[in-house]
Amino acid sequence: MGSEFFIKKAEISVVQSREKTLNSIKKVICLQVALGNQIEALKDYLFIDQNTVDMIRYQRAKLEFKTCLQNLEYLMPEVEEIPVIKRRHKNIIRLANSLENTSYSIPEIQQDIRALNSFSKDIELYLKFLAKTTESQDDIARQKAQQLKQISRLAKYVIIGSIFFVFILQFKMIFIPVINSIQELKEGTNKIGKGELNHRLKIETNDEIGELAAGFNQMTIQLAESRQNLGDKLQELTLVNHNLNTEIENRNRAEAELQKSIGLIQSEKMSSLSQMVAGIAHEINNPVNFIHGNLTHAETYSQDLLNLVDLYQQHYPNPAPEIEDELDAIELDFLVEDFSKLLTSMRMGTQRIKEIVTSLRTFSRLDEADIKKVDIHQGLDGSLLILQHRLKVKENRPEIRVIKDYGQLALISCYSGQLNQVFLNILTNAIDALEEQNQTRTLEEIHAYPSQIRIQTFTNTDKTWATIKISDNGCGIPPNVLEKLFNPFFTTKPVGKGTGLGLAIAYQIITDRHHGKINCYSEAGKGAEFVIEIPIQETH
């Protein structure tokens, strides 16, 4: 009865384990389907005119993925891969959130697709590993149940043998083979337990002990095969680890070489950019000057014509019916009133274009190789003008206010184009930080605590150094990020949003090219402040 109880218990354990395995596999399949639907919806969204229906499909698949993942975590709470899958899935969610209401070029779409494929492949690998782990646990449970069943059977026959040995001692010779088999079974199990997997039980009786011995032999064969497979996997892992170390060494060497060539690459890139900007500014400036200059004559001519029309109305108050109809059709009174406003608006527009062209010319000094004395404030204003489209009011937030606290600065000897690039990089990062913070705030919170950038300039007491401070009231920079801020290729932005070279190049321009200093100070929740110090006169 005891052995039957244990056998029944083993069968129940196998059934429960099997049900848990099937449920776990179903959840894994559910996750794989939901993941595939998400990736498909996001790719359709990128390639098919950013259709909102595709984004809705993505949201449904994302909810289904989260639900299945929660159920799987309930079934397998001890599995370490589930938190990793959650983190990979959050990367997909952040990437998907950045896709909405954004126009993309073909290279950017390709880069996003590669990121999606990378994250989904990682999750699929972990899901496949979970499926194999579940099946492996099911096999182990069945093996344990089988062992328990075999041990129970063994105990049952040992007890029965002992009882018959007491009452039927005269038939002891009948049980000698059984005793020998049990002894062989005991010795064989001890050897197998010590790792001698090549040992086989030599019991060929046609009873339960023979069946038990055959089961032990079969189990030993499976254990030997598993150990061999484990050895093969270990060799494969060793080879993969060696290849990975080799790849890391190659990448480190390539990174070192790339860092050496940053200066040259950036110089060539900025030179090309300056030529393009200068060319655009020149091409825009000529027709704008032509239009702006002719507006004065247009105003004079239009006023003369309007005066002439007024004289006609005074001397001929009753025009012909055809003229009267035409006056009504063109709404002469409104035309007279609005025409001067129209010309004034055109003059303001051309003046604005001239200001933008002037800023572009200032910014296009990137290719100037010599140090020149320039007004730093012009470079700051030019950078702000270039970024004006990101500072102005948008549908989901008010404008980002810029507070200028300019001091009395003399002309500074510097590479003006490169210094303008530093200002542009820092201001761009400040705007990115404020926009990222506003995504987590309501419109009421933004109005209560508006986003702003403050620019302050001043000189030291002996007028030999100029200091430029650019600060924002964003969410701040964590200490672990702050210490790596100027490292090449370090970035906290998603894939495709940043190269990690902007601040590294800014650091090189300030320290190497101008023999100055650049530092960043930040506290969580209180924004960040970049402090640039450069000598007013040339020191190299």
Side-chain angles (χ1 to χ4, degrees), residues 231-243:
D232 295 340
K233 293 295 182 181
L234 183 60
Q235 291 180 355
E236 293 178 4
L237 183 60
T238 302
L239 179 60
V240 170
N241 186 47
H242 175 72
N243 294 336

mmCIF file of all heavy atoms in Angstrom, residues 231-243:
data_model
loop_
_atom_site.group_PDB
_atom_site.id
_atom_site.type_symbol
_atom_site.label_atom_id
_atom_site.label_comp_id
_atom_site.label_asym_id
_atom_site.label_seq_id
_atom_site.Cartn_x
_atom_site.Cartn_y
_atom_site.Cartn_z
ATOM 1 N N GLY A 231 29.461 18.112 -22.545
ATOM 2 C CA GLY A 231 30.861 18.365 -22.898
ATOM 3 C C GLY A 231 30.994 19.054 -24.242
ATOM 4 O O GLY A 231 31.805 19.980 -24.410
ATOM 5 N N ASP A 232 30.175 18.608 -25.226
ATOM 6 C CA ASP A 232 30.209 19.258 -26.547
ATOM 7 C C ASP A 232 29.780 20.714 -26.451
ATOM 8 O O ASP A 232 30.379 21.596 -27.080
ATOM 9 C CB ASP A 232 29.294 18.492 -27.508
ATOM 10 C CG ASP A 232 29.806 17.071 -27.771
ATOM 11 O OD1 ASP A 232 31.014 16.830 -27.531
ATOM 12 O OD2 ASP A 232 28.997 16.213 -28.194
ATOM 13 N N LYS A 233 28.706 20.955 -25.673
ATOM 14 C CA LYS A 233 28.236 22.333 -25.515
ATOM 15 C C LYS A 233 29.298 23.195 -24.837
ATOM 16 O O LYS A 233 29.472 24.375 -25.187
ATOM 17 C CB LYS A 233 26.941 22.361 -24.686
ATOM 18 C CG LYS A 233 25.743 21.712 -25.376
ATOM 19 C CD LYS A 233 25.330 22.481 -26.622
ATOM 20 C CE LYS A 233 24.101 21.857 -27.264
ATOM 21 N NZ LYS A 233 23.707 22.575 -28.501
ATOM 22 N N LEU A 234 30.001 22.613 -23.867
ATOM 23 C CA LEU A 234 31.046 23.357 -23.182
ATOM 24 C C LEU A 234 32.171 23.733 -24.147
ATOM 25 O O LEU A 234 32.705 24.855 -24.097
ATOM 26 C CB LEU A 234 31.591 22.517 -22.023
ATOM 27 C CG LEU A 234 32.658 23.185 -21.151
ATOM 28 C CD1 LEU A 234 32.096 24.454 -20.509
ATOM 29 C CD2 LEU A 234 33.167 22.222 -20.085
ATOM 30 N N GLN A 235 32.528 22.822 -25.035
ATOM 31 C CA GLN A 235 33.552 23.138 -26.026
ATOM 32 C C GLN A 235 33.084 24.254 -26.967
ATOM 33 O O GLN A 235 33.845 25.166 -27.312
ATOM 34 C CB GLN A 235 33.900 21.879 -26.830
ATOM 35 C CG GLN A 235 34.640 20.808 -26.010
ATOM 36 C CD GLN A 235 34.972 19.586 -26.842
ATOM 37 O OE1 GLN A 235 34.572 19.494 -28.006
ATOM 38 N NE2 GLN A 235 35.670 18.625 -26.242
ATOM 39 N N GLU A 236 31.803 24.153 -27.389
ATOM 40 C CA GLU A 236 31.261 25.198 -28.255
ATOM 41 C C GLU A 236 31.274 26.551 -27.547
ATOM 42 O O GLU A 236 31.622 27.577 -28.142
ATOM 43 C CB GLU A 236 29.837 24.843 -28.679
ATOM 44 C CG GLU A 236 29.754 23.618 -29.585
ATOM 45 C CD GLU A 236 28.316 23.277 -29.933
ATOM 46 O OE1 GLU A 236 27.423 24.039 -29.532
ATOM 47 O OE2 GLU A 236 28.097 22.243 -30.598
ATOM 48 N N LEU A 237 30.873 26.534 -26.251
ATOM 49 C CA LEU A 237 30.868 27.778 -25.488
ATOM 50 C C LEU A 237 32.266 28.346 -25.339
ATOM 51 O O LEU A 237 32.470 29.570 -25.434
ATOM 52 C CB LEU A 237 30.244 27.518 -24.107
ATOM 53 C CG LEU A 237 30.083 28.735 -23.192
ATOM 54 C CD1 LEU A 237 29.186 29.773 -23.851
ATOM 55 C CD2 LEU A 237 29.512 28.328 -21.844
ATOM 56 N N THR A 238 33.246 27.484 -25.138
ATOM 57 C CA THR A 238 34.632 27.943 -25.028
ATOM 58 C C THR A 238 35.093 28.596 -26.328
ATOM 59 O O THR A 238 35.754 29.641 -26.321
ATOM 60 C CB THR A 238 35.545 26.755 -24.680
ATOM 61 O OG1 THR A 238 35.101 26.148 -23.449
ATOM 62 C CG2 THR A 238 36.984 27.217 -24.516
ATOM 63 N N LEU A 239 34.727 27.973 -27.471
ATOM 64 C CA LEU A 239 35.099 28.540 -28.763
ATOM 65 C C LEU A 239 34.421 29.891 -28.993
ATOM 66 O O LEU A 239 35.047 30.847 -29.454
ATOM 67 C CB LEU A 239 34.716 27.555 -29.878
ATOM 68 C CG LEU A 239 35.025 28.008 -31.312
ATOM 69 C CD1 LEU A 239 36.521 28.266 -31.488
ATOM 70 C CD2 LEU A 239 34.544 26.958 -32.314
ATOM 71 N N VAL A 240 33.121 29.960 -28.639
ATOM 72 C CA VAL A 240 32.388 31.220 -28.802
ATOM 73 C C VAL A 240 33.001 32.310 -27.930
ATOM 74 O O VAL A 240 33.160 33.465 -28.355
ATOM 75 C CB VAL A 240 30.896 31.014 -28.452
ATOM 76 C CG1 VAL A 240 30.171 32.359 -28.386
ATOM 77 C CG2 VAL A 240 30.226 30.122 -29.493
ATOM 78 N N ASN A 241 33.377 31.935 -26.702
ATOM 79 C CA ASN A 241 33.979 32.905 -25.792
ATOM 80 C C ASN A 241 35.319 33.412 -26.344
ATOM 81 O O ASN A 241 35.634 34.607 -26.267
ATOM 82 C CB ASN A 241 34.181 32.255 -24.424
ATOM 83 C CG ASN A 241 34.661 33.242 -23.379
ATOM 84 O OD1 ASN A 241 34.117 34.334 -23.267
ATOM 85 N ND2 ASN A 241 35.676 32.867 -22.636
ATOM 86 N N HIS A 242 36.092 32.496 -26.932
ATOM 87 C CA HIS A 242 37.365 32.903 -27.528
ATOM 88 C C HIS A 242 37.135 33.868 -28.693
ATOM 89 O O HIS A 242 37.831 34.892 -28.821
ATOM 90 C CB HIS A 242 38.119 31.661 -28.007
ATOM 91 C CG HIS A 242 39.390 31.978 -28.750
ATOM 92 N ND1 HIS A 242 40.526 32.457 -28.122
ATOM 93 C CD2 HIS A 242 39.683 31.895 -30.087
ATOM 94 C CE1 HIS A 242 41.465 32.656 -29.036
ATOM 95 N NE2 HIS A 242 40.989 32.325 -30.217
ATOM 96 N N ASN A 243 36.158 33.524 -29.550
ATOM 97 C CA ASN A 243 35.853 34.400 -30.687
ATOM 98 C C ASN A 243 35.363 35.766 -30.217
ATOM 99 O O ASN A 243 35.698 36.798 -30.809
ATOM 100 C CB ASN A 243 34.799 33.749 -31.582
ATOM 101 C CG ASN A 243 35.326 32.491 -32.258
ATOM 102 O OD1 ASN A 243 36.537 32.322 -32.437
ATOM 103 N ND2 ASN A 243 34.435 31.588 -32.628
#
